[in-house]
Amino acid sequence: MDSKSSKSALNQIVEAMKAVNMIGLYGMPGVGKTTLAQEVGKHAGEQKLFDKVVMFTMSQNPNINNIQDKVADVFGLKFQTSSRQGRAEELFKSMQRVNKILVIVDDLWEEFELKIIGIPFGDDHKGCKILLTTRRQQVCTKMNCQKEIQLGILSEDEAWVLFRDQAGLEGNSSALNNEAKKVAAQCKGLPLAIVVVAKALKGEGLDLNGWKAVNQRFKDSRHLDNEDFGDVLQPLKLSYDYLKKGNNQMTVNDIQMCFLLCSLFPEDKEIDIEILIVCGIGVGLFPNANSIEDKRNEMVMAFKKLQKSGLLLETDDADSVKMHDVVRDFAHWLTSTGGNRFMVKDKLKEWPDMVESFECYTAIALWNCSSNIKFPDKVKFSKLKTLILQGEDWVDLLVVSSTFFEEMKALQVLFLENVSFSTERFPSLPNLKTLCCVHCKLKNFSSSLTNLEVLALFKTRIYGISEELVKLSTLKYLSLHNFYEESGMIIQPSLIERLTNRLTSLQGCTMSQIL
């Protein structure tokens, strides 16, 4: 919605673009910086102020290759080299051939040299304007922004109008609305908090006492204040708790767990729902569903509910979801204590020091692990149910020994990406239900995974498989996409037929087409 602050910031940005080439937009988490930046890009395109407009997200751990790909796509560039520096040089020259360019750099956390990506500006390209968004004003200063613009919170009246509209309330009078205004005021003028809380309460049919109860819940939750989240944490906690409303009590934890599963994935990532489904099946979500297909349907409905509640974002692809970075931080706060303890790390260059307290984790996700990491022979995680390991490069794979998993007896889900490993002499993992591999190299596939229910292999090279698949007697879901057989052995049609007959003869079992 339009607000005095957003209108003022938009006008300042448009005016600044006429005079300077580096503009910084800063403001607290959840205030609407990304939304305003998108509006600036839309305005610039509609008014034909620039020949090209490109926007990308940096986040705390930027993926330079992905950013280069996104920028190159806007400029119709097909890279001729594979190195980061070579791609940057190609992009640099390609952009210099375009007269007027607007580059929107969203969610910048620290000083960054844009030439690393291949973006020319200043003396290298006076027609290239940069708009960056950040939580921290000092980032604007370090980036030498010639104009720094703060996006402020909504006024009390603006906050109420947004809350009222999102919650489906009518008018501005009545005792009920007066109480609802008190709830809106607890969101401290933050658009993200207002939208999330309003959507959580919409359709609940709250009467006057109900709104008073919600207001009291805010007052009773002052201990939730946290300097990393500020005023946005309490509204998010309220929305998370309200996932219980309107659901069968047996599915409450399942919907909340669907939300928490999303927080295991990297910041700003568009998360494939199919990956979330195979992980959810593995950890036992929706146990009362009679079949795999029923579980899938339940999880799809859960993700839609999370989107409607504002806790997940929609993407351009209907088969994926995304988490706002502030909401992801909130989920990590939720999983920092209690029964569901998560650890999520990115850009890992060496194996972290393992102290005794690490045994309490139920889910661990290690993303972009350097191929130079020396994994220990064994790691004892007695409560670990979900393990995600990703190498940083699908060419130089991360090598993991099968003995590494020996002390993970509670493990239910193993998700590997850009990893090379062998299941020969694979330890007995009695609770392992899901094995999902993406861009992996899998050697000596073994039927020793006696309780495996879900096997999903995406763009994975396999050495020796054949009859071992048929021996997986508990298998209920098999997905082989862009599957490569590297041993020279072709999967015979008769094997496919036997697998299909066995899987489809069981209620709700699924086999995806081999592409």
Side-chain angles (χ1 to χ4, degrees), residues 491-505:
I491 297 183
Q492 299 297 328
S494 60
L495 176 60
I496 299 297
E497 184 178 357
R498 288 166 59 196
L499 279 169
T500 304
N501 290 338
R502 189 175 73 77
L503 287 172
T504 56
S505 66

Side-chain angles (χ1 to χ4, degrees), residues 282-283 340 361-363 381 383-387 410-414 432:
V283 295
N340 281 318
Y361 288 105
T362 59
F381 284 121
K383 297 181 180 179
L384 189 63
K385 296 179 180 180
T386 301
L387 176 63
L411 195 64
Q412 295 175 320
V413 173
L414 180 58
L432 187 65

Side-chain angles (χ1 to χ4, degrees), residues 8-18 23 25 36-37 40 131 149:
S8 173
L10 177 61
N11 291 335
Q12 289 183 69
I13 291 170
V14 172
E15 287 301 310
M17 288 192 300
K18 299 175 183 178
I23 306 162
L25 175 67
L36 181 58
V40 170
L131 170 64
I149 301 166

Side-chain angles (χ1 to χ4, degrees), residues 25-41:
L25 175 67
Y26 67 94
M28 64 189 302
V31 79
K33 300 182 295 296
T34 298
T35 301
L36 181 58
Q38 290 171 336
E39 188 64 27
V40 170

